[in-house]
Amino acid sequence: MQRIIVLVGLILMCTQCSSNDGSSDDAVEVTVPVVTPTDETDDDGTTDEDNALDTEAFSFEPNLVIENSFNTGGCIPGPCDTDDENLDDIFESGQPDDEYFYSSNNGTILNLKCQLEKGRRTEFKQSSEGPLTTPSRMEFEAVYLDIPTEGITIAQVHNRGGSSNKPFFRLELHNDELETVVRRDPEVSSSDTEFDKDFYSFVNGANYNAEPLKIIIEKGNGVVHLIVAQGGQTLIDDTYSPEVGTNWIEDNGIANGYYLKAGIYNPAANHTEAIELQYSMFHFTSEDEN
């Protein structure tokens, strides 16, 4: 079993920006789920206090959902419909306990899992959206299990504006490399558009089990910023911006429809791996208000 430890931290690049429509995007108050432990004992001998999530390690604003492919009927092999669940409901008890999303290790770990055959994703998804000038960030630490050779997507700056509904930026994880992917055209199929792709080797080749990855990704100031380091060496430190003249910028709906995703997405038509990740920390903040 391959194990990859990834630390993703997103640093806010601007504290106050303006939307494309000229309105002010004032900072919004961060809402952290409050877990109220009880003394009830579970079947495994632990109490709710044992399993309650550490709110210093896990904090979410309300505009975040879990997108998963578990409730897909007889969808084989896919693609499959997905369901969105509001994190406010999931964290009401402080103990996520679903096939695709559950806590373990006395509430210190959050696990996301992909189905075999029927499912292709389990991801944290920002339900609000805004321009690239408005800051949003996800900061998390994770271990990824059973990654297929073809790779999976672990973080995205997606878009749901206009006729786009496609990712602008993706960070992919393969058995032997990292890959960044930027889509040139937001409105055409993958077979018709071009992609800017860059590949990065891990320290000591593919020996990424020996050294964790530290990653920073965010949107703000009109760009996506990514930093990846391993073993004290910086693998990636770059910004990614849409091409001038494309509908990423020119189309008002698309230009104001960016949002963040993080988790596991397997693009393969047939799945043979029980892909799973384990978060030991996850923080999400955003100034998007749409």
Side-chain angles (χ1 to χ4, degrees):
M1 176 180 294
Q2 299 277 4
R3 291 179 177 263
I4 301 170
I5 302 176
V6 178
L7 174 65
V8 180
L10 298 86
I11 298 178
L12 209 55
M13 291 189 294
C14 66
T15 59
Q16 186 174 8
C17 303
S18 296
S19 328
N20 289 1
D21 60 6
S23 61
S24 176
D25 292 320
D26 294 329
V28 295
E29 182 180 353
V30 175
T31 302
V32 177
V34 177
V35 176
T36 305
T38 68
D39 293 329
E40 296 181 4
T41 301
D42 298 325
D43 293 338
D44 61 1
T46 63
T47 66
D48 289 343
E49 186 172 2
D50 293 328
N51 293 322
L53 294 174
D54 180 356
T55 53
E56 291 186 2
F58 301 100
S59 62
F60 308 87
E61 290 189 359
N63 55 337
L64 193 71
V65 297
I66 289 282
E67 183 176 28
N68 69 90
S69 301
F70 264 73
N71 298 317
T72 54
C75 174
I76 298 176
C80 306
D81 295 330
T82 59
D83 292 335
D84 295 345
E85 282 201 63
N86 191 300
L87 282 174
D88 287 346
D89 297 332
I90 292 177
F91 283 106
E92 185 175 350
S93 67
Q95 299 178 64
D97 188 18
D98 292 293
E99 290 181 279
Y100 57 90
F101 178 52
Y102 57 95
S103 61
S104 61
N105 289 17
N106 292 334
T108 63
I109 298 295
L110 284 179
N111 304 267
L112 300 187
K113 187 174 183 179
C114 257
Q115 268 182 316
L116 288 176
E117 300 298 335
K118 290 169 60 177
R120 60 169 52 199
R121 75 172 76 241
T122 305
E123 298 175 288
F124 285 118
K125 181 176 73 172
Q126 179 182 344
S127 57
S128 61
E129 71 265 359
L132 286 179
T133 53
T134 305
S136 287
R137 72 174 186 179
M138 289 179 176
E139 178 182 357
F140 56 89
E141 182 175 9
V143 174
Y144 295 83
L145 308 176
D146 291 328
I147 294 175
T149 301
E150 295 78 11
I152 62 172
T153 296
I154 61 173
Q156 304 181 59
V157 178
H158 216 286
N159 194 287
R160 64 169 66 93
S163 57
S164 172
N165 298 314
K166 297 177 177 71
F168 163 64
F169 175 84
R170 301 196 310 270
L171 176 62
E172 298 185 0
L173 189 61
H174 301 264
N175 275 349
D176 57 355
E177 62 191 359
L178 285 165
E179 180 180 354
T180 59
V181 182
V182 176
R183 179 186 287 267
R184 293 276 189 88
D185 192 325
E187 296 188 296
V188 301
S189 68
S190 297
S191 60
D192 294 329
T193 192
E194 294 182 354
F195 295 88
D196 293 326
K197 297 184 178 182
D198 288 299
F199 303 90
Y200 302 87
S201 299
F202 297 100
V203 172
N204 299 321
N207 189 22
Y208 45 74
N209 290 322
E211 294 285 351
L213 299 176
K214 295 183 178 180
I215 304 174
I216 298 170
I217 185 171
E218 65 176 343
K219 78 176 183 75
N221 284 344
V223 300
V224 173
H225 187 210
L226 177 72
I227 297 176
V228 181
Q230 184 183 43
Q233 300 182 40
T234 299
L235 304 181
I236 309 172
D237 185 354
D238 210 344
T239 58
Y240 307 85
S241 57
E243 290 188 0
V244 176
T246 66
N247 280 332
W248 289 123
I249 299 173
E250 299 299 327
D251 184 283
N252 184 65
I254 293 174
N256 289 282
Y258 294 96
Y259 64 97
L260 303 183
K261 299 181 75 173
I264 42 178
Y265 169 70
N266 185 357
N270 293 289
H271 305 156
T272 58
E273 303 87 3
I275 303 172
E276 184 174 357
L277 71 78
Q278 299 174 343
Y279 285 123
S280 57
M281 180 268 287
F282 196 107
H283 298 289
F284 166 70
T285 58
S286 174
E287 294 184 18
D288 291 320
E289 297 182 354
N290 296 332

